[in-house]
Amino acid sequence: MVNEVKEKFILHWNYRGFTKLPEVVRNYGAHIEEVYLKYNLLSNLPLWIAEMSNITNLYLHGNQIETVPDELGEVTHLTTLDLGNNKLKTLPPRIGKLQKLKVLLLNENSMRILPSEINRLKNLETLSVSGNKLVALPEWLGYLPSLQELIADHNCLIEIPNSLTLAPNLSTISICSNRLQHLPLNGFLAAPCIQFDNNSNLNYLSIPVSYQLSQQNHSFQNPRDILAYRCSRVVSNDDGFWIKSKLSIHLKVEILGQDGKDTTILKLPRQLVTVHNIDESSIPSLMELALRDIYCERYNHTLVIDHTTLKVEVNRAVIDRHNECLELTRYLNDLLKNGPISICLGIQCQQPIFTEAWITVNCDPTTTFLRISTFCSRKCALNLTTQTDAPRENRRWYII
């Protein structure tokens, strides 16, 4: 083993039955760059792991590790860290010091929350947390500037952060086999490939997200290749028109079709706290109007939907001009930072929407989903729903 460590830069020690990392690595392996220790019997890592300063790739998948020492944060050349299929519930605070880390694999552990220290990993490109016990993902995921892949299958998620719609480099989101009740309403800035099969409570998409997903390539040769396989379970409820909970609004939508009336419950994102009827000439609250005005002062955020080519373009850029310091509550600052819940789909409007909206619903003939459109005012909603020459009773639009 001494000769092996001295002569190699990569140690392939998978399936060796190790119960601890051999001391020979510490004595003779300062030059080692990659270590594969998958499917051993390790229960922890030694504190002297900090001395292995040249390691770039460390694979510990399939062990029995319950805790990771803070000293791992001193292995600052790490670019890939695989801690999957262990018994981890959290990570050490100094994990945030791994500024060169690009791939972090935490699959098949017992994590209920993601440690906030991960938000310091500015070069992180891939984060995989499938098979844990996560019930929510933090909004700071959308602030990771280099994040390209987010894999969070087989958890207990009911939603994903709105800030992900503004992530600049996101190419893949996989959130299959969770408990999702909705996807974000806003279009995604980077137009990522989104996989969300086996979320039976998810029964609608926004128009922007629906159009973006329609541009993904699907072969349809196998039922599992169909967009949103095993989603869209219809839930009936005979209670009132508006059904409110402590966290979010439920909408009861009645759709008249050839086979009679069908009832579906739509659960909207928590950030949207007020939904107006299309016949309601209400004025948005002062807080909502202030959020819209401040956001428009700070950003240039456009959402362009081409209905003929099913193309969506989303752009968001900081406007380069001096703004006075705004004394806002943490709640309002978070709303602005995480981005609007949607952009008004009214013709030539582009107003951001944060907490209040007018909503219309229509059937998507290509999927089992309903599609919803959000508007900043009754005027914008009526303008779009009257753009067809067909009689109202023949339109595929249904107004809530």
Side-chain angles (χ1 to χ4, degrees):
M1 185 177 288
V2 170
N3 290 335
E4 182 181 7
V5 171
K6 286 182 176 180
E7 295 173 0
K8 295 184 176 181
F9 289 88
I10 301 176
L11 298 178
H12 289 281
W13 283 354
N14 300 329
Y15 297 96
R16 294 288 187 98
F18 292 145
T19 57
K20 61 181 181 179
L21 187 60
E23 191 83 14
V24 66
V25 178
R26 180 185 188 183
N27 297 331
Y28 302 99
H31 61 287
I32 297 296
E33 297 177 359
E34 297 184 34
V35 181
Y36 292 80
L37 287 163
K38 296 182 179 181
Y39 297 103
N40 280 283
L41 301 173
L42 302 178
S43 58
N44 55 57
L45 293 176
L47 300 182
W48 52 260
I49 191 71
E51 301 173 20
M52 309 303 297
S53 58
N54 288 314
I55 294 181
T56 58
N57 295 1
L58 181 58
Y59 297 90
L60 297 163
H61 185 96
N63 282 276
Q64 300 176 14
I65 299 174
E66 297 184 4
T67 59
V68 175
D70 227 13
E71 283 72 13
L72 184 63
E74 303 303 321
V75 191
T76 54
H77 283 82
L78 270 179
T79 59
T80 298
L81 177 59
D82 183 357
L83 291 167
N85 198 5
N86 279 283
K87 299 179 180 180
L88 293 173
K89 294 183 178 180
T90 187
L91 294 176
R94 274 194 274 179
I95 196 75
K97 295 183 65 175
L98 302 178
Q99 291 297 300
K100 295 184 179 181
L101 196 65
K102 294 183 177 181
V103 178
L104 179 58
L105 307 178
L106 299 170
N107 304 319
E108 305 297 333
N109 278 286
S110 300
M111 304 184 74
R112 295 183 181 274
I113 59 173
L114 289 182
S116 60
E117 288 78 13
I118 295 178
N119 69 4
R120 295 160 54 192
L121 303 178
K122 303 305 180 183
N123 288 301
L124 191 65
E125 298 176 358
T126 299
L127 176 62
S128 188
V129 292
S130 296
N132 280 275
K133 300 177 181 179
L134 300 172
V135 296
L137 295 176
E139 287 285 349
W140 50 254
L141 281 179
Y143 315 148
L144 293 174
S146 303
L147 188 64
Q148 298 177 18
E149 292 183 286
L150 174 61
I151 315 298
D153 303 326
H154 298 282
N155 280 283
C156 304
L157 304 174
I158 62 173
E159 62 183 9
I160 63 175
N162 188 65
S163 62
L164 289 176
T165 64
L166 303 177
N169 297 304
L170 200 57
S171 62
T172 301
I173 301 176
S174 186
I175 40 177
C176 300
S177 300
N178 277 279
R179 301 173 183 175
L180 292 180
Q181 297 174 335
H182 56 80
L183 292 180
L185 301 181
N186 207 8
F188 284 78
L189 182 67
C193 175
I194 306 176
Q195 299 291 334
F196 53 98
D197 299 343
N198 289 305
N199 282 281
S200 60
N201 290 323
L202 199 156
N203 56 6
Y204 74 92
L205 297 173
S206 70
I207 290 286
V209 172
S210 177
Y211 279 8
Q212 285 187 322
L213 292 175
S214 69
Q215 299 174 64
Q216 299 179 11
N217 294 324
H218 300 282
S219 64
F220 300 110
Q221 296 178 358
N222 187 297
R224 293 181 179 274
D225 295 329
I226 298 175
L227 179 65
Y229 177 71
R230 289 185 178 175
C231 290
S232 188
R233 184 182 69 183
V234 175
V235 180
S236 296
N237 193 302
D238 295 327
D239 293 339
F241 187 84
W242 300 98
I243 305 170
K244 293 189 177 182
S245 71
K246 294 181 180 179
L247 294 180
S248 59
I249 294 176
H250 293 64
L251 298 184
K252 178 181 177 183
V253 182
E254 293 184 348
I255 300 175
L256 298 176
Q258 296 179 351
D259 300 329
K261 185 183 294 186
D262 189 14
T263 301
T264 301
I265 304 299
L266 307 186
K267 186 169 184 180
L268 301 178
R270 289 179 297 159
Q271 185 174 323
L272 198 61
V273 296
T274 303
V275 173
H276 297 284
N277 189 291
I278 194 98
D279 297 322
E280 188 179 344
S281 299
S282 301
I283 298 175
S285 69
L286 182 60
M287 183 183 76
E288 173 68 16
L289 292 174
L291 285 167
R292 295 178 185 180
D293 188 60
I294 295 170
Y295 190 81
C296 290
E297 283 291 317
R298 291 185 178 182
Y299 303 100
N300 177 26
H301 192 151
T302 58
L303 175 66
V304 181
I305 299 180
D306 188 335
H307 290 260
T308 59
T309 61
L310 297 181
K311 182 180 180 181
V312 176
E313 295 180 1
V314 185
N315 299 288
R316 181 180 188 258
V318 177
I319 296 177
D320 186 17
R321 61 168 173 261
H322 176 72
N323 287 314
E324 295 182 0
C325 181
L326 298 170
E327 294 294 334
L328 301 173
T329 66
R330 181 178 178 182
Y331 170 68
L332 296 182
N333 266 319
D334 286 345
L335 288 177
L336 291 169
K337 187 177 181 181
N338 298 339
I341 198 71
S342 184
I343 298 294
C344 178
L345 298 184
I347 298 174
Q348 297 180 344
C349 180
Q350 299 297 317
Q351 276 285 319
I353 297 171
F354 288 88
T355 62
E356 297 185 43
W358 279 255
I359 288 180
T360 62
V361 179
N362 76 305
C363 295
D364 184 350
T366 62
T367 71
T368 57
F369 284 97
L370 297 174
R371 296 196 300 182
I372 74 172
S373 303
T374 51
F375 303 94
C376 68
S377 66
R378 177 174 180 262
K379 179 181 178 181
C380 284
L382 287 175
N383 283 345
L384 188 61
T385 58
T386 55
Q387 292 305 305
T388 174
D389 295 330
R392 173 169 289 205
E393 59 270 17
N394 292 333
R395 295 180 194 158
R396 298 194 64 82
W397 289 84
Y398 296 88
I399 300 174
I400 296 181

